[in-house]
Amino acid sequence: MPSPVPSDLHVNTLLTNVSIGYINKSYVADQVYPIVRVMKQSDIVPKFNQSAFYRDDSKVRAPGTMSEGGGFTVETTDTYFCNRYSRRFEIPDELRRNADAPWNLDQTGTQLVTDKVQMRREVQFAADHFATGKWTTDKDGTTDFVKWSDYGASTPDVDVDTYKDTVEALASVEPNKMLVGKQTHIKLKNHPALIDRIKYTQRAQLTPDLIASLLELDSYLVGRSIYTTTVEGIAEASVTYTRIWGKHALLIYVPAAPSLLTPAAGYTFVWQIVPNALQYIKTMRNEEREVDIIEANTYFAQKLTAARAGAFLEDAVA
């Protein structure tokens, strides 16, 4: 008598406690510039002229004479505009009624569209601020300093100090935040010059917080995310992926919170359609099409406000 085979005893069903999904684990763009929550979609960003505050023009005043006078100007031509970015996920009635566990279409759809608008802020920041031609100080890992992946000849700690000083000489503030791509971080956390400085006092493992302390920074951020520009519908095997942040580094000064009379490399303006939210979810019903719609929205403008307060280090590693 023939023995039963496994398929006679078990019918494959969907696992209810595990599935395979893909969402970037961490985004950093919202941590680079201070968030400014605004009540209008657009407005003016006033700028004082820097030279008025650093000009040495106090003079000897003779008895009975008037003091020298002077003032400052305010530029009111710079504006922000919070563009709206949206992404929707639709659940047709037939799909909802046929979905078995572990499919929670509302939860998965909300996660998907939320991630899409977060990714937009990440990709937008990298394109507009983590690139050459944006900052007064641009340095290149081939012509201006030895790439930090060259462990024998490079001195990343000295380079960071040097370019922090360069920025301070231009903007009167020393960079307190550093943003690097994951590939740059890998080379830095394993760099002998940095490890040598902690080997007798710390575990020889350079965490982001420890790197920030070594480089005298308030914050050290690592951009890890990837994305694709391959259009929807292409076979998965043919989709290509790119690291958002590349092999670069950015040094900037930003205050802990938005402030008047304080230079800041930039601000992220967020229009408060929903109070205290960087993005928000709308759910709606299209009865004619018989679909439920989950839509994520964000209004933002990542505004570079002081080009002198930053230094971009292109191709910091090979």
Side-chain angles (χ1 to χ4, degrees):
M1 182 173 180
S3 299
V5 296
S7 60
D8 294 327
L9 305 176
H10 172 73
V11 177
N12 286 339
T13 62
L14 288 169
L15 293 174
T16 59
N17 61 346
V18 65
S19 63
I20 307 301
Y22 301 92
I23 287 182
N24 279 305
K25 297 299 182 183
S26 61
Y27 292 116
V28 296
D30 294 338
Q31 303 174 56
V32 184
Y33 292 161
I35 302 293
V36 181
R37 304 180 189 280
V38 295
M39 303 310 297
K40 301 294 183 181
Q41 187 174 16
S42 64
D43 242 324
I44 295 169
V45 183
K47 288 186 178 181
F48 294 91
N49 61 317
Q50 180 178 329
S51 62
F53 293 88
Y54 294 98
R55 184 172 294 109
D56 178 20
D57 54 5
S58 294
K59 297 182 179 180
V60 173
R61 180 179 176 183
T65 64
M66 295 179 62
S67 61
E68 289 284 338
F72 55 83
T73 60
V74 179
E75 178 186 329
T76 58
T77 59
D78 203 11
T79 61
Y80 73 83
F81 183 87
C82 294
N83 283 310
R84 181 180 186 177
Y85 297 90
S86 303
R87 192 69 167 89
R88 70 164 51 190
F89 177 74
E90 296 187 349
I91 308 174
D93 288 353
E94 295 89 347
L95 185 62
R96 183 184 292 284
R97 294 185 182 118
N98 278 293
D100 293 322
W103 307 118
N104 184 329
L105 296 176
D106 295 277
Q107 177 180 324
T108 303
T110 301
Q111 289 176 329
L112 174 68
V113 297
T114 299
D115 184 75
K116 292 295 186 182
V117 296
Q118 288 180 298
M119 183 185 292
R120 170 40 36 194
R121 293 197 297 273
E122 199 86 350
V123 173
Q124 191 83 43
F125 190 98
D128 293 346
H129 306 267
F130 201 68
T132 58
K134 312 296 183 180
W135 303 95
T136 301
T137 302
D138 271 340
K139 299 296 179 181
D140 181 82
T142 300
T143 58
D144 298 305
F145 62 95
V146 178
K147 293 182 189 293
W148 298 337
S149 47
D150 184 344
Y151 286 166
S154 66
T155 55
D157 48 348
V158 175
D159 295 336
V160 169
D161 274 346
T162 298
Y163 299 131
K164 285 166 62 179
D165 185 64
T166 299
V167 170
E168 187 177 36
L170 291 169
S172 81
V173 288
E174 185 177 85
N176 59 353
K177 186 172 288 191
M178 185 173 180
L179 169 63
V180 300
K182 172 70 180 303
Q183 294 158 293
T184 303
H185 172 63
I186 289 173
K187 296 301 181 182
L188 280 178
K189 77 172 186 176
N190 292 296
H191 201 290
L194 299 185
I195 293 175
D196 189 60
R197 293 175 58 176
I198 66 162
K199 64 182 179 181
Y200 298 116
T201 59
Q202 304 276 348
R203 293 178 57 189
Q205 181 177 354
L206 284 170
T207 63
D209 286 345
L210 194 49
I211 293 175
S213 177
L214 281 175
L215 299 178
E216 298 181 333
L217 298 163
D218 294 338
S219 177
Y220 173 87
L221 301 172
V222 181
R224 303 170 181 271
S225 303
I226 65 171
Y227 77 116
T228 181
T229 57
T230 305
V231 297
E232 188 173 356
I234 299 298
E236 283 295 303
S238 301
V239 176
T240 58
Y241 297 91
T242 303
R243 292 183 182 273
I244 292 175
W245 298 103
K247 300 179 178 181
H248 319 303
L250 175 65
L251 287 162
I252 60 170
Y253 173 80
V254 289
S259 174
L260 297 173
L261 291 177
T262 300
Y267 288 112
T268 296
F269 297 95
V270 179
W271 190 18
Q272 294 295 275
I273 297 296
V274 175
N276 301 315
L278 296 180
Q279 64 267 330
Y280 61 94
I281 296 291
K282 290 178 63 179
T283 57
M284 56 200 107
R285 172 76 178 168
N286 187 316
E287 193 60 50
E288 184 177 4
R289 294 178 54 228
E290 298 182 328
V291 297
D292 296 325
I293 300 167
I294 302 170
E295 182 185 80
N297 296 272
T298 182
Y299 287 87
F300 72 91
Q302 296 156 331
K303 184 74 176 179
L304 194 158
T305 54
R308 293 185 174 196
F312 182 68
L313 313 183
E314 184 183 23
D315 293 333
V317 301

